[in-house]
Amino acid sequence: MSNRAARRKSLTEIDRLQFVQDATDAHHRLAPYLIALSPLSDDYKAIQRLSQALRTAIRDVTADDPEWCKVKPGAYPGR
Protein backbone atom coordinates (compact mmCIF):
# COMPACT_ATOMS: atom_id res chain seq x y z
CA MET A 1 0.00 0.00 0.00
CA SER A 2 1.17 3.47 -0.75
CA ASN A 3 0.92 6.25 1.75
CA ARG A 4 -1.21 9.21 0.86
CA ALA A 5 0.01 12.71 1.47
CA ALA A 6 -1.89 14.50 4.18
CA ARG A 7 -4.06 17.34 2.97
CA ARG A 8 -3.34 20.82 4.25
CA LYS A 9 -5.74 22.45 6.69
CA SER A 10 -5.53 25.85 4.99
CA LEU A 11 -4.34 27.60 1.87
CA THR A 12 -0.79 28.80 1.50
CA GLU A 13 -0.34 32.53 0.99
CA ILE A 14 0.29 31.97 -2.72
CA ASP A 15 -2.84 29.79 -2.98
CA ARG A 16 -4.81 32.44 -1.10
CA LEU A 17 -3.72 35.16 -3.52
CA GLN A 18 -4.54 32.95 -6.52
CA PHE A 19 -7.97 32.13 -5.07
CA VAL A 20 -8.77 35.82 -4.58
CA GLN A 21 -7.67 36.56 -8.15
CA ASP A 22 -9.77 33.70 -9.57
CA ALA A 23 -12.85 34.71 -7.56
CA THR A 24 -12.39 38.37 -8.55
CA ASP A 25 -12.12 37.40 -12.22
CA ALA A 26 -15.32 35.36 -11.89
CA HIS A 27 -17.09 38.32 -10.27
CA HIS A 28 -16.01 40.63 -13.10
CA ARG A 29 -17.26 38.14 -15.69
CA LEU A 30 -20.69 38.21 -14.00
CA ALA A 31 -20.98 42.02 -14.10
CA PRO A 32 -22.25 42.29 -17.71
CA TYR A 33 -25.16 39.99 -16.88
CA LEU A 34 -26.11 42.14 -13.90
CA ILE A 35 -25.92 45.28 -16.01
CA ALA A 36 -28.11 43.79 -18.77
CA LEU A 37 -30.83 42.30 -16.55
CA SER A 38 -33.61 43.88 -14.57
CA PRO A 39 -32.91 43.68 -10.81
CA LEU A 40 -36.41 42.26 -10.41
CA SER A 41 -35.77 39.22 -12.64
CA ASP A 42 -35.09 35.77 -11.24
CA ASP A 43 -31.96 35.45 -13.40
CA TYR A 44 -30.54 38.67 -11.95
CA LYS A 45 -31.23 37.49 -8.42
CA ALA A 46 -29.52 34.15 -9.08
CA ILE A 47 -26.43 35.84 -10.49
CA GLN A 48 -26.42 38.31 -7.59
CA ARG A 49 -26.46 35.37 -5.13
CA LEU A 50 -23.46 33.86 -6.91
CA SER A 51 -21.63 37.18 -6.72
CA GLN A 52 -22.46 37.40 -3.01
CA ALA A 53 -21.13 33.85 -2.49
CA LEU A 54 -17.84 34.87 -4.13
CA ARG A 55 -17.63 37.89 -1.82
CA THR A 56 -18.33 35.74 1.24
CA ALA A 57 -15.74 33.14 0.20
CA ILE A 58 -13.07 35.83 -0.20
CA ARG A 59 -13.95 37.24 3.24
CA ASP A 60 -13.77 33.76 4.79
CA VAL A 61 -10.39 33.00 3.22
CA THR A 62 -8.71 36.38 3.71
CA ALA A 63 -10.65 37.98 6.60
CA ASP A 64 -10.93 41.07 4.38
CA ASP A 65 -13.41 42.46 1.87
CA PRO A 66 -12.71 41.97 -1.83
CA GLU A 67 -11.19 44.95 -3.61
CA TRP A 68 -14.38 45.58 -5.60
CA CYS A 69 -16.26 46.22 -2.31
CA LYS A 70 -13.82 48.73 -0.88
CA VAL A 71 -14.47 52.44 -1.25
CA LYS A 72 -11.55 54.05 -3.06
CA PRO A 73 -10.01 57.27 -1.75
CA GLY A 74 -11.70 60.27 -3.30
CA ALA A 75 -14.88 58.36 -4.09
CA TYR A 76 -16.88 60.69 -1.87
CA PRO A 77 -16.49 64.46 -2.03
CA GLY A 78 -15.01 65.93 1.13
CA ARG A 79 -13.38 62.69 2.27
Side-chain angles (χ1 to χ4, degrees):
M1 281 185 91
S2 63
N3 291 334
R4 293 186 185 195
R7 292 185 181 199
R8 296 181 306 220
K9 304 248 185 239
S10 65
L11 296 171
T12 65
E13 189 58 31
I14 291 171
D15 290 339
R16 199 176 308 277
L17 292 171
Q18 185 61 52
F19 171 77
V20 169
Q21 184 61 52
D22 291 343
T24 299
D25 291 346
H27 167 76
H28 289 304
R29 285 192 304 271
L30 294 174
Y33 298 109
L34 295 173
I35 292 168
L37 293 168
S38 166
L40 301 177
S41 75
D42 290 338
D43 290 343
Y44 179 96
K45 292 173 186 175
I47 295 166
Q48 185 64 33
R49 284 192 304 271
L50 179 55
S51 181
Q52 179 63 37
L54 290 168
R55 182 183 319 167
T56 300
I58 289 174
R59 275 193 204 131
D60 290 348
V61 168
T62 65
D64 195 14
D65 284 328
E67 286 300 316
W68 76 80
C69 292
K70 295 179 181 177
V71 177
K72 307 294 186 264
Y76 292 108
R79 288 189 179 190

